[in-house]
Amino acid sequence: MRMKPGMDLPHPPAVAWKEDRLMLLDQRRLPTETVYLELTRPEEVREAIRELAVRGAPAIGIAAAYGLYLGVRDVPEGDEEGFWQLLNRTSDRLGTSRPTAVNLHWALRRMVRRAESLKGKPLSEIKEALLQEAETIRREDAEVCRRIGEHALSLLEDGMGVLTHCNAGGLATAAYGTALAPLYLAKERGWRLKVFADETRPVLQGARLTAYELKQAGIDVTLICDNMAAAVMQRGWVQAVIVGTDRVAANGDVANKIGTYGVAVLARAHGIPFYVAAPTSSIDLETPTGADIPIEERPAEEVTQGFGKRTAPEGVSVYNPAFDVTPAEYVTAIITERGVIRPPYAEGLRRAMEEPSK
Ligand code: MRU
């Protein structure tokens, strides 16, 4: 199975542009239903991000980029003032859809900068450039993921057991994923990796999405509940952990799906390397440490009656953070499209952000 970026995916793409609309695979309905939302307004895109129809840091950024274009495409020619006001307002609004993934702000900033580089040109030209920029962000993401996969593969070996948490796969990106990219490349090379997917409470991205996409690709995946990871490691079935991230702080602290920190501590206790796959669009040098990363808190109902059935008493207090922060000291390496970064991270991350890709 040789996949070209964005093509021949083993699963339907998370984000696509069709004629005049944004198509988002509604990930709330996976794995049982394949349904696309067809969006034409930025407020719909914001809602789709908030409600997790599209999720995963890179995919959120890509969707927001198209959302920004949708926000300004109907401004009449000549209404310069209206255009710039609406561009900034829509960017601010989309930027508040979810707080943790920095890719959202990265993509919106890139779009606004592209528009600003054409200031003074006819609005039709600027709008066309914005649509092209969103397309470029999407195409580049597939390339970036493939390169992350290649670097990550250099840390793995045929026959290994690999554990992952949440979904940092093709469904979270334009293609391949970040943490799952090496698993797809290993499959292309005929390697036999045994993957353990944490189900990932409370919204089950591991069960509904990671297990789904790996199974579709014919990769050996075993689903476990989150509280089984320790037992699986104790049995000696895991030789590497690889996860994605929503934001890497300047000191190497890493925000990712709630439960990731626990997995990192378990990996340390069992002497298993803990790798974080991170496109440079997830690295935020303006955030000094993990304590400065905003952590989203989500509705109690995700915990008390996820997917319909009530599993806790009505009115019980609930704490439902969507992400946690793994301190840099637990991270064996951060794998970017520009190469593998080892501690000390402050210096390695700064250098990676300055260097061209290799
Ligand atoms: O709440 P989600 O599903 O958006 O959380 C996703 C994750 O935590 C992923 O691991 C992260 O965004 C990286 S995706 C390549």
Side-chain angles (χ1 to χ4, degrees):
M1 180 185 67
R2 161 87 200 182
M3 298 190 299
K4 293 179 219 83
M7 298 168 69
D8 305 330
L9 294 169
H11 55 80
V15 185
W17 181 258
K18 192 171 149 202
E19 286 152 25
D20 60 346
R21 54 199 53 208
L22 176 62
M23 310 287 290
L24 292 182
L25 177 62
D26 190 343
Q27 300 192 29
R28 295 166 298 186
R29 299 170 79 158
L30 288 173
T32 51
E33 292 170 86
T34 305
V35 176
Y36 276 89
L37 304 174
E38 300 190 19
L39 309 184
T40 55
R41 295 187 302 113
E43 205 48 38
E44 295 171 332
V45 178
R46 183 174 183 274
E47 201 51 24
I49 295 172
R50 275 172 59 80
E51 297 297 324
L52 309 184
V54 62
R55 31 67 50 204
I60 292 172
I62 297 165
Y66 284 109
L68 188 53
Y69 165 71
L70 288 173
V72 293
R73 75 167 164 187
D74 294 330
V75 177
E77 197 62 50
D79 182 5
E80 310 285 333
E81 199 184 321
F83 177 86
W84 293 105
Q85 266 178 16
L86 196 56
L87 185 78
N88 289 317
R89 234 188 16 243
T90 310
S91 172
D92 289 349
R93 180 88 182 133
L94 285 164
T96 61
S97 49
R98 290 189 80 190
T100 305
V102 75
N103 308 61
L104 177 66
H105 305 284
W106 172 86
L108 289 168
R109 260 206 309 267
R110 182 167 159 172
M111 291 287 286
V112 171
R113 268 205 306 269
R114 178 72 185 120
E116 283 170 353
S117 74
L118 297 171
K119 225 167 190 164
K121 303 263 188 208
L123 290 185
S124 56
E125 196 177 315
I126 303 178
K127 289 190 228 169
E128 181 54 30
L130 282 175
L131 178 57
Q132 287 317 314
E133 192 68 11
E135 288 281 279
T136 305
I137 289 172
R138 185 174 60 84
R139 262 199 321 273
E140 281 179 7
D141 185 59
E143 269 303 317
V144 159
C145 286
R146 193 165 173 102
R147 264 185 258 138
I148 288 175
E150 278 156 8
H151 291 301
L153 205 57
S154 71
L155 303 169
L156 305 178
E157 280 171 32
D158 192 7
M160 273 186 171
V162 178
L163 184 136
T164 191
H165 189 76
C166 192
N167 173 264
L171 292 166
T173 60
Y176 307 113
T178 57
L180 300 195
L183 311 182
Y184 287 117
L185 299 194
K187 168 87 177 162
E188 282 183 16
R189 281 171 210 191
W191 286 17
R192 298 167 73 86
L193 298 179
K194 183 155 185 65
V195 182
F196 292 93
D198 284 350
E199 74 174 344
T200 316
R201 283 277 292 155
V203 192
L204 307 188
Q205 289 93 333
R208 295 186 303 104
L209 309 176
T210 297
Y212 161 79
E213 66 166 271
L214 293 182
K215 197 160 179 300
Q216 292 269 79
I219 291 171
D220 177 357
V221 57
T222 300
L223 178 63
I224 57 172
C225 300
D226 297 345
N227 54 3
M228 297 169 189
V232 166
M233 290 183 186
Q234 193 178 47
R235 283 177 168 76
W237 294 345
V238 178
Q239 281 69 50
V241 172
I242 183 162
V243 297
T245 178
D246 287 79
R247 190 184 303 220
V248 180
N251 70 342
D253 291 349
V254 170
N256 192 46
K257 177 54 55 195
I258 188 72
T260 302
Y261 174 36
V263 174
V265 173
L266 287 175
R268 169 63 56 85
H270 290 86
I272 298 166
F274 178 87
Y275 299 120
V276 175
T280 49
S281 56
S282 299
I283 297 173
D284 181 9
L285 296 184
E286 286 166 25
T287 296
T289 72
D292 305 301
I293 299 176
I295 299 294
E296 176 184 9
E297 288 189 31
R298 296 195 54 88
E301 291 69 36
E302 287 184 350
V303 177
T304 57
Q305 52 190 123
F307 309 100
K309 185 173 164 46
R310 173 164 286 283
T311 53
E314 225 158 316
V316 69
S317 297
V318 169
Y319 173 52
N320 183 21
F323 301 96
D324 59 24
V325 173
T326 300
E329 65 189 276
Y330 288 95
V331 178
T332 310
I334 297 174
I335 308 156
T336 76
E337 72 274 22
R338 299 178 184 174
V340 176
I341 305 172
R342 303 261 181 191
Y345 289 119
E347 197 190 318
L349 288 169
R350 214 181 37 247
R351 260 208 321 270
M353 296 305 275
E354 288 162 3
E355 275 172 19
S357 306
K358 353 179 227 213

